[in-house]
DNA sequence: TAACTTAGTTTATTGGATAGACAAACTAAG
DNA sequence: CTTAGTTTGTCTATCCAATAAACTAAGTTA
């Protein structure tokens, strides 16, 4: 068979998904409410809810308030019937969470990456995952999968093609992890994961079109268009760090000139700060808090360049929001105004009308939470497919 | 009712759409072939085909070859059961086509825009449309709608918010045309229409992710992501002409600096060519054909800047193809090599692996054909909804 | 207590897809 | 020219999900 044709099973999947979606969002909800709000018949809802209860995804949590009739039986999603693992594999750290199916953090582990060699790093990663798996309580579905965000280009088979800062090339991480843990594994770029994390659990909740700009050593972006991650033809869109904003500017290792991340990343900041005797972002943040003028000027310069790139993004994508995340979001107090000014000055008026400039709410957890979210939504789509 | 729920009618719509899609693509096709290729039961196909025949969308065109059994009855889409109108409203011309439902051109009209004032231009536009309507043969569905591509920002209600080169602001063209003709009307940006035209009838057939770069007086882009037009949150994405490629370059009327279209558009070309005594693109093309060195150099400079912007596009969107269209595509012989070189030099290697650089096949007709296509697909989605 | 409300289930019906039987129309071999 | 085998397309009985409407359950209000 070549095409996914429509039959009764498809209808049932669609309607089951609708019912589950209502319960996921609407928290305690009765069958009658679902019927009314969804437009599905009461009998249909009853039947589908029964299936979900049998499938350990939903439970009855007692009766609700009556307004002059029989009390409703309230339904709730069983968030603890399965657990997800989300990992943020950084250039010099490994961060991991165990969450329930609603994304609530059950356990968290952070360690610094001891040896960036692929094999050694993989072993350390496995240790982290094993420790998290061990913390998962008994549940009907157990651990439903593993998601990993990595600082590099990932193809659609989950291989890391190139991770410059880790110096990795062609590391088939998804295959390795699948073989080791026999669980569904999703690998994606750190910025894509961060975008997902912020959209689901952070500053971008309820926003349909958002661009997440991950400003760390380099700059990466995650594009969420019509509510879902856009990955391009081969799976690696969003390399906006290598958007040239100075056609004849500084040469970049990527072969291009004037790449955005050469002017607006942590790396760019640190290079300029070295002259002033600063060695890391933390020191600069302290100095900025102490209102040291040269440092404030430095942040202003970075902020202006950030704004230049973001104005480009706004013009091109016409998003609802741009979220600045990753390490540089810590400098929000010294960046926000200048970024906002630059964007307002440079972006097209019509595009500015409805766009919001936000900073990541999850901070360092964006990417890790996005990885967990990807695992959870993968689980749901598998559940819905049956 | 808030959510589109699944019921039997939905199944039928889905399956009818599948059957119709097969007939549209597969040209002469029998019921048995459709059943086999689609996975739908023979009886189901028979029933749906009968509905399509009753609905004047499909007809039997005789028997096909037998391979040792009963001869199949071949089916064909009735392209002439309805007609669509596609208009390209330019800065100084109005171009229109009447096509059948397969996009075959039945009639075509071009005139130069006499008066760019909205009211006068609207009257001239109506004249063009009336003439095309008059050319439509009798058919079950008649003229199924009107599509118009315009050089400006269009909101989701079909109002032209701003068309700088026409000096239009807040012109509710869709409302005007709907009131006048009582037909479904679609208005969109000229670049979006061009992208659609090239994807359906031109260089981009069968390509899922493509970016159409319309290089005329300014530069606009149409984004086709996962086979369909991406329009952003408010309906106006793709203003890549105002992508800043020189952060501190020339000031643009849009408020930004160093906008791409200040270096790579027809306008940019003509400004530089004025010094050499050229007044329009046609004269420059002649001079280039005569291998006049200063002109060749001029095109090389434009080509390099085009390449710089396209490299940015490739890095950001990771598309399958970039198509250069509109007036500047005529300069292909003098642009193609330098554009290609620049892109190869500046875009990230991984993104280059599968990307094609193409020129519009429909030439000046891209936008107009896209407008017709949008009308046709609107008609189909209305048919499928019943 | 009676009258009314609301929640959720049961029952009969509807409509679309399907498998399998079947008739029609053909090819090819003897 | 017959006969066997093949392919097409239709017909029929059945299945299944959604639905309306009737019904049961369990409350509130006057």
């Amino acid at each position: 068979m070549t095409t996914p044709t429509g039959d009764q099973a498809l209808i049932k999947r669609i309607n089951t998904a609708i019912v589950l979606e209502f319960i996921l969002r609407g928290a305690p909800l009765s069958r009658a409410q679902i019927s009314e709000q969804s437009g599905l018949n009461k009998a249909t809802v009853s039947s589908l809810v029964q299936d979900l209860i049998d499938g350990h995804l939903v439970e009855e949590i007692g009766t609700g308030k009556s307004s002059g009739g029989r009390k409703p039986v309230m339904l709730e999603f069983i968030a603890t019937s399965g657990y997800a693992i989300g990992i943020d594999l950084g250039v010099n750290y490994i961060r991991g969470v165990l969450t329930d199916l609603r994304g609530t953090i059950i356990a968290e582990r952070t360690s610094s990456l001891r040896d960036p060699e692929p094999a050694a790093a993989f072993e350390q990663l496995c240790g982290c995952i094993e420790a998290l798996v061990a913390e998962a309580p008994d549940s009907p579905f157990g651990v439903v999968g593993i998601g990993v965000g990595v600082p590099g280009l990932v193809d659609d088979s989950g291989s890391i093609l190139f991770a410059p800062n880790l110096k990795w090339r062609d590391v088939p991480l998804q295959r390795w992890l699948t073989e080791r843990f026999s669980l569904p594994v999703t690998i994606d770029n750190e910025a894509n994961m961060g975008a997902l994390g912020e959209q689901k659990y952070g500053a971008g909740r309820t926003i349909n079109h958002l661009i997440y700009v991950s400003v760390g050593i380099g700059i990466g972006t995650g594009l969420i268009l019509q509510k879902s991650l856009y990955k391009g033809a081969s799976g690696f869109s969003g390399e906006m760090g290598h958007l040239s904003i100075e056609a004849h500017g500084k040469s970049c290792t990527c072969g291009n000139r004037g790449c955005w991340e050469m002017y607006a990343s942590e790396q760019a900041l640190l290079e300029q700060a070295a002259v002033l005797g600063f060695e890391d972002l933390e020191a600069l943040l302290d100095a900025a808090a102490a209102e040291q003028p040269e440092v404030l000027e430095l942040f202003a310069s970075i902020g202006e360049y950030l704004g230049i790139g973001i104005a480009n993004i706004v013009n091109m994508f016409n998003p609802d929001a741009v979220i600045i995340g990753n390490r540089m979001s810590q400098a929000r107090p010294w960046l926000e105004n200048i970024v906002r000014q630059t964007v307002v000055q440079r972006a097209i008026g019509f595009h500015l009308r409805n766009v919001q400039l936000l900073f990541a709410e999850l901070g360092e957890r964006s990417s890790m939470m996005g990885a967990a979210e990807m695992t959870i939504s993968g689980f749901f789509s598998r559940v819905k497919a049956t």
Side-chain angles (χ1 to χ4, degrees), chain A:
Chain A
M1 188 179 61
T2 49
T3 338
T5 61
D7 60 353
Q8 312 241 65
L10 174 69
I11 294 192
K12 191 160 188 179
R13 279 207 301 280
I14 292 174
N15 289 340
T16 306
I18 291 175
V19 169
L20 184 54
E21 203 61 27
F22 269 96
I23 298 177
L24 279 171
R25 281 194 216 293
L29 214 64
S30 70
R31 290 169 175 84
Q33 285 174 295
I34 297 173
S35 168
E36 187 158 352
Q37 293 174 27
S38 68
L40 287 166
N41 188 280
K42 287 196 295 176
T44 310
V45 172
S46 268
S47 155
L48 296 176
V49 163
Q50 193 53 52
D51 289 353
L52 288 171
I53 290 176
D54 293 345
H56 304 288
L57 286 170
V58 166
E59 65 185 342
E60 301 183 336
I61 55 161
T63 56
K65 288 256 165 76
S66 156
S67 62
R70 175 173 164 181
K71 286 184 178 169
V73 178
M74 305 314 275
L75 303 167
E76 178 70 282
F77 171 65
I78 313 182
T80 54
S81 67
Y83 296 89
I85 288 178
I87 305 281
D88 177 6
L89 175 58
V91 174
N92 44 33
Y93 60 85
I94 295 178
R95 240 193 291 275
V97 270
L98 178 78
T99 74
D100 65 21
L101 293 179
R102 201 188 269 112
T104 308
I105 296 177
I106 306 295
E108 188 168 358
R109 293 178 66 90
T110 311
S111 55
S112 55
L113 187 63
R114 289 188 294 272
D115 179 353
E117 274 302 300
F122 176 66
E123 284 310 320
Q124 193 181 341
L125 175 65
C126 288
C128 174
I129 294 172
E130 277 157 14
L132 289 167
V133 168
E135 300 220 41
D138 266 346
S139 60
F141 298 107
V143 173
V144 301
I146 301 167
V148 186
V150 296
L153 278 186
V154 179
D155 71 10
D156 27 14
S157 78
S159 283
I160 299 163
L161 295 180
F162 182 46
N165 294 317
L166 281 169
K167 302 203 173 70
W168 285 13
R169 267 179 193 282
D170 298 312
V171 176
L173 189 59
Q174 177 172 338
R175 192 161 58 74
W176 288 0
L177 283 170
T178 310
E179 281 169 9
R180 180 77 151 246
F181 291 98
S182 305
L183 283 174
V185 174
T186 329
I187 314 283
D188 209 329
N189 179 273
E190 160 268 326
N192 282 343
M193 290 299 195
L196 220 52
E198 288 294 328
Q199 188 219 18
K200 187 76 183 182
Y201 306 112
R205 283 180 301 247
T206 78
I207 297 181
N208 291 344
H209 301 259
L210 75 85
I211 315 289
Y212 173 81
V213 182
S214 164
V215 190
I217 311 248
I219 297 183
T221 45
L223 315 178
I224 291 187
L225 311 179
Q226 353 241 39
K227 296 189 190 175
S228 60
L229 200 56
Y230 178 74
K231 306 198 28 161
S234 321
F236 28 90
S237 68
E239 280 299 314
M240 267 186 260
H242 299 285
L243 181 76
S244 170
I245 58 164
E246 293 275 20
H248 301 93
K250 308 181 202 172
S251 288
C252 178
T253 50
C254 76
N256 205 342
R257 290 174 153 274
C259 291
W260 189 22
E261 68 177 39
M262 305 202 68
Y263 300 89
S265 64
E266 182 179 350
Q267 179 102 47
L269 178 72
L270 292 180
E271 270 169 24
Q272 292 173 262
V275 189
L276 303 175
F278 292 94
E279 287 208 332
D280 58 17
L281 182 59
E282 285 66 26
L284 279 163
L285 291 171
D286 289 344
E291 300 194 357
Q292 219 169 301
E294 314 87 29
V295 175
L296 292 179
E297 235 171 81
L298 216 54
F299 277 116
S301 153
I302 296 288
E304 190 187 351
Y305 275 107
L306 263 180
I308 290 172
I310 290 174
N312 276 343
I313 289 173
V314 169
N315 283 353
M316 279 185 299
F317 289 94
N318 178 216
D320 292 309
V322 176
I323 301 181
I324 298 177
N326 208 339
R327 288 175 49 83
M328 196 66 92
S329 64
Q330 298 170 69
R332 173 175 187 169
W334 305 284
L335 291 176
E336 184 161 8
N337 278 336
I338 178 81
V339 171
R340 199 176 295 276
Q341 274 170 35
T342 311
V343 172
V344 167
Q345 189 184 319
R346 288 177 171 254
I348 295 173
F350 294 101
H351 292 61
L352 281 172
R353 283 209 272 216
N354 300 312
V355 74
Q356 304 172 60
L357 177 67
L358 305 171
F359 283 75
E361 273 180 19
L362 303 177
E364 315 179 298
R365 290 192 174 90
S366 308
S367 179
M368 179 174 75
M369 289 306 293
E373 162 57 20
M374 202 172 242
T375 303
I376 293 170
S377 63
F379 168 71
F380 280 131
S381 53
R382 267 175 279 133
V383 167
K384 287 171 190 167
T386 37

